[in-house]
Amino acid sequence: TTTYGNDFMGGAAERSASAKPKQSTIPSHPFDGTTSYGAEFSPKRGDRAEKVVRASGPVSGGHFDGTTTYGNDFMGGAAERSASAKPKNSTIPFHPFEGTTSYAAEFSPKRGDRAEKVVRASGPVSGGQFDGATTYGNDFMGGATERSASAKPKESTIPYRPFEGTTSYGAEFSPKGRGDRAEKVIRASGPVSGGQFDGTTTYGNDFMGGSPKRGDRAEKVIRASGPVSGGQFDGTTTYGNDF
C-alpha cells in the first residue's frame, strides 16, 4: 500500500449527471457528409493532351512550319505611329543657339600672374646680404599689442588679511606622529657560525601546540574468499533507519 492509494483510491468516485436532454426537439435525419467546400470545389479532370510520338530516325519529306504563337500574335503588321507632340503654331521667336550659361557668364575662368621661376644655385652662394624676414613676421609681428584692461576692481570691500595657508583638510586631518621604527635587520656577510638554530615557526606555535590526537581505528573488513554460507542477511541501511 502507498499513501496515494490510501488517500485517493479509497472508493469509487461519483458519476456526473448526463448532459443529454431527456426530450429533444431535433428531428432525426441520416448523416449527410457533404461540405460546402466539397460541393463547390469538387475535383475536376481536364482533357488529356495527345501523345507526341517522336520519330526513331531522321524525318524525310514534308514541309517545315516555322511559325510561332509570338509571330502570329505580335508581329502581324506595323504598329501605328503616335501623333507628334509639337504644336503646329508656336509663339516662340526663332533665335540661333548661343550655348552660354549663367554660370559661365558670371564665373568665367581667370588666369593669374605667373610666378617667377626660382633658379637654385649649383654651388655655394657667396656674398650678398641674407634677408631673414618672413611674411608672418611682416604681417603679425610688426608692433606690440595693446595690453588688456585689468579686471581687478579699483575699490574692494574685502578686508585685507595675511594669507594663512591652512585648509579644512589640513585642519581636520593633520598628520599624526610617526610610529615606532622597526629595528634594522643586518644580514651576515658570510657563513654564521656558533649559536643555536631556532626552528620554530608561527604556524607550529599557534596550530601545533600539542601532539595530534589519534582517532579510533576502523575495523578491518575481511572479504570472504568464496561463497558465504549460513547466517542471516541483514537488509537494513542507514538511509532506511534515518528517513
Side-chain angles (χ1 to χ4, degrees), residues 28-202:
S28 175
H29 293 288
F31 176 72
D32 186 3
T34 57
T35 60
S36 58
Y37 182 85
E40 296 178 7
F41 301 97
S42 57
K44 298 177 177 58
R45 191 169 185 178
D47 299 333
R48 188 170 184 180
E50 296 180 0
K51 185 178 181 181
V52 178
V53 182
R54 300 184 180 276
S56 58
V59 179
S60 58
H63 179 66
F64 176 71
D65 186 5
T67 58
T68 60
T69 55
Y70 182 85
N72 295 333
D73 297 340
F74 300 98
M75 299 178 66
E80 296 181 1
R81 187 172 183 177
S82 58
S84 176
K86 182 180 179 181
K88 295 181 180 180
N89 298 326
S90 177
T91 58
I92 301 174
F94 177 76
H95 294 287
F97 178 71
E98 298 178 359
T100 57
T101 61
S102 59
Y103 182 86
E106 296 178 6
F107 303 95
S108 56
K110 298 177 177 60
R111 190 168 185 178
D113 299 333
R114 187 172 183 180
E116 296 180 0
K117 185 178 180 180
V118 178
V119 181
R120 299 184 181 277
S122 58
V125 179
S126 60
Q129 186 179 4
F130 176 72
D131 185 6
T134 60
T135 55
Y136 181 84
N138 296 330
D139 297 339
F140 300 98
M141 299 178 65
T145 58
E146 297 180 1
R147 187 171 184 177
S148 60
S150 176
K152 181 180 179 181
K154 296 181 180 180
E155 296 179 359
S156 177
T157 58
I158 302 174
Y160 175 77
R161 292 189 181 88
F163 180 70
E164 297 178 0
T166 58
T167 60
S168 59
Y169 181 86
E172 296 178 7
F173 302 97
S174 57
K176 307 295 187 297
R178 278 187 174 182
D180 298 334
R181 187 171 182 178
E183 296 180 1
K184 186 177 180 181
V185 178
I186 303 175
R187 299 183 181 277
S189 58
V192 180
S193 60
Q196 186 178 4
F197 177 71
D198 186 4
T200 59
T201 60
T202 55

Side-chain angles (χ1 to χ4, degrees), residues 217-228:
R217 186 173 183 180
E219 296 182 0
K220 186 177 180 181
V221 179
I222 303 174
R223 300 184 180 278
S225 59
V228 179

